[in-house]
Amino acid sequence: MNKAAFYKLSYGLYVITSGEGEKSNGQIANTVFQVTSDPPTVVVSINKANYTHELIRSSRKFAVSILEEATPMKMIGQFGFKCGRDIDKFSGIQARTGETGIPVVTSHAVAFIETEVTGEMDCGTHTLFLGKVVDCDILDAAAEPMTYAYYRKIKGGKSPKSAPTHQEEAPPPSSPPAEKAMRYTCKICGYIYDPQKGDPEGKINPGTRFEDLPADWVCPVCGAAKDQFEKEK
């Protein structure tokens, strides 16, 4: 069975938010889909271990912010590879209070959908939450929504282990040392630093070897330091 076939399914990249009282949180998700148009309903898949799952379960509300292609990797890392129990996910992020009283992320969002949960389905490690749409709107009509394929191929992003699409990937075949500079993988989030691509968002030009990166350079996804990277085998 070749699980790479799953990569051919179409996904987007979204920030899912929820909250109750003074508690609120958000996370990255790529499994959101519309199931009916009248009334409009959507479904999201959330890992049971995530703080957002806890808040959706208790508040019975969630919002979806559809991210644009220009979304910085730092923002994706903040919502996707860090825990809301430890940090304020909304620090430095533009958000507004929605119709249901939960925060709706507007930073780098093409559109948003706000829902009230009307049902759920247990899927082992994840729960599918069915939400009746109570409000939605376009925030930036000119921006292109980011697909999961774009996130992987153009931005070099990976799925956290809590994502429904996560797969343990075998390292690519090694190249002869003289052919090109070595790539390095972040041990925390799986981001791959490719010298041929550099880190444009971090102002690192293509052609910069990992060894030549500034000492204070960090992973553009999760913020890990250089010593948390290992050379590809």
Side-chain angles (χ1 to χ4, degrees):
M1 180 165 55
N2 182 5
K3 292 184 178 180
F6 292 121
Y7 292 142
K8 301 303 181 182
L9 289 172
S10 296
Y11 298 94
L13 210 65
Y14 317 95
V15 174
I16 310 301
T17 52
S18 189
E20 186 175 38
E22 297 182 355
K23 298 179 180 179
S24 62
N25 193 52
Q27 68 162 78
I28 292 292
N30 60 11
T31 308
V32 178
F33 54 95
Q34 182 180 355
V35 289
T36 63
S37 60
D38 187 18
T41 56
V42 296
V43 165
V44 64
S45 177
I46 303 293
N47 190 289
K48 293 178 180 178
N50 291 359
Y51 185 33
T52 304
H53 185 283
E54 177 183 324
L55 293 176
I56 295 176
R57 176 66 62 78
S58 60
S59 71
R60 313 306 291 172
K61 305 169 186 175
F62 69 84
V64 180
S65 295
I66 304 169
L67 297 180
E68 64 172 343
E69 289 182 346
T71 304
M73 291 296 283
K74 182 178 180 181
M75 177 177 167
I76 296 173
Q78 183 165 322
F79 280 103
F81 291 91
K82 297 181 180 180
C83 180
R85 295 184 178 92
D86 303 325
I87 69 165
D88 177 10
K89 293 283 193 80
F90 299 96
S91 176
I93 300 296
Q94 294 179 352
R96 71 189 190 198
T97 301
E99 290 290 325
T100 62
I102 64 175
V104 177
V105 170
T106 57
S107 289
H108 297 284
V110 175
F112 75 90
I113 302 168
E114 195 176 355
T115 80
E116 294 178 344
V117 174
T118 58
E120 61 182 78
M121 179 179 179
D122 190 316
C123 294
T125 57
H126 290 67
T127 298
L128 294 182
F129 290 105
L130 176 67
K132 178 183 177 181
V133 177
V134 297
D135 194 20
C136 57
D137 201 358
I138 294 175
L139 300 174
D140 188 346
E144 287 293 328
M146 188 190 309
T147 65
Y148 184 57
Y150 184 96
Y151 169 67
R152 287 180 58 84
K153 292 181 180 179
I154 306 301
K155 289 187 170 282
K158 300 292 182 180
S159 294
K161 291 185 177 180
S162 61
T165 55
H166 175 76
Q167 295 183 31
E168 294 294 339
E169 299 181 25
S174 59
S175 302
E179 183 177 328
K180 62 180 181 180
M182 294 297 296
R183 305 196 311 175
Y184 282 71
T185 302
C186 176
K187 294 186 289 186
I188 306 299
C189 71
Y191 169 82
I192 296 175
Y193 177 78
D194 186 341
Q196 292 185 330
K197 298 179 180 179
D199 174 17
E201 291 183 7
K203 299 182 179 179
I204 303 297
N205 294 325
T208 304
R209 300 187 311 160
F210 183 83
E211 295 85 347
D212 297 331
L213 291 172
D216 60 353
W217 180 86
V218 297
C219 174
V221 175
C222 69
K226 284 181 66 177
D227 61 5
Q228 294 298 311
F229 280 72
E230 58 185 4
K231 184 185 299 185
E232 282 191 348
K233 298 178 181 179

